Amino acid sequence: MLTGAHLSDWDLPYGVVANAEHLVAELAANAATHGRLPGRDFLLDLRTTEGDSALRIEVTDTRGDRLPSLHAQPPSSDSESGRGLLLVEALADRWGVTPGPVPRKTVWAELDLVPESSGRPR
């Protein structure tokens, strides 16, 4: 909700804001669940890339030793978790992991603001 309010102030297209809200929620939940050490938190950074061509979402945590798989596999049908990175993969135009500096890692996702074919904001 805070992400949506913040990004709406930037006059980004609704679809980008809606997808960004889902991506922030998922990446933050993953950082809190899998990337947290006692006494440490995670850092969220939202910004547009050079030329305002994409919205970049970065979540940095202190578990650089636990990298997510860039090729998410579907969990079993009766599993109660394990679908988050599939959601990230489906919503983001690009996503990945940047290791370091030790002991950190940053999981990032980008949403295009200008489609390559039309040159107009979506």
Side-chain angles (χ1 to χ4, degrees):
M1 194 166 190
L2 184 57
T3 297
H6 185 75
L7 294 178
S8 292
D9 287 345
W10 292 3
D11 291 326
L12 297 179
Y14 171 77
V16 170
V17 172
N19 285 346
E21 288 177 311
H22 291 295
L23 289 168
V24 166
E26 188 53 47
L27 294 177
N30 283 352
T33 303
H34 305 292
R36 188 171 173 276
L37 289 173
R40 305 270 175 117
D41 225 337
F42 63 87
L43 174 69
L44 170 65
D45 184 29
L46 302 170
R47 66 176 180 275
T48 55
T49 59
E50 188 174 327
D52 293 336
S53 62
L55 172 66
R56 186 168 175 101
I57 301 162
E58 294 183 350
V59 176
T60 302
D61 66 49
T62 53
R63 288 299 306 263
D65 59 318
R66 296 187 74 182
L67 299 177
S69 171
L70 295 179
H71 305 287
Q73 298 297 316
S76 64
S77 60
D78 60 345
S79 179
E80 294 184 15
S81 63
R83 293 169 181 81
L85 291 179
L86 292 171
L87 179 65
V88 170
E89 194 170 277
L91 293 175
D93 291 303
R94 289 164 299 289
W95 77 280
V97 181
T98 304
V102 173
R104 296 182 284 274
K105 72 171 175 300
T106 299
V107 181
W108 57 268
E110 290 184 348
L111 295 168
D112 289 335
L113 299 177
V114 180
E116 292 179 23
S117 59
S118 71
R120 294 188 333 253
R122 58 176 173 178

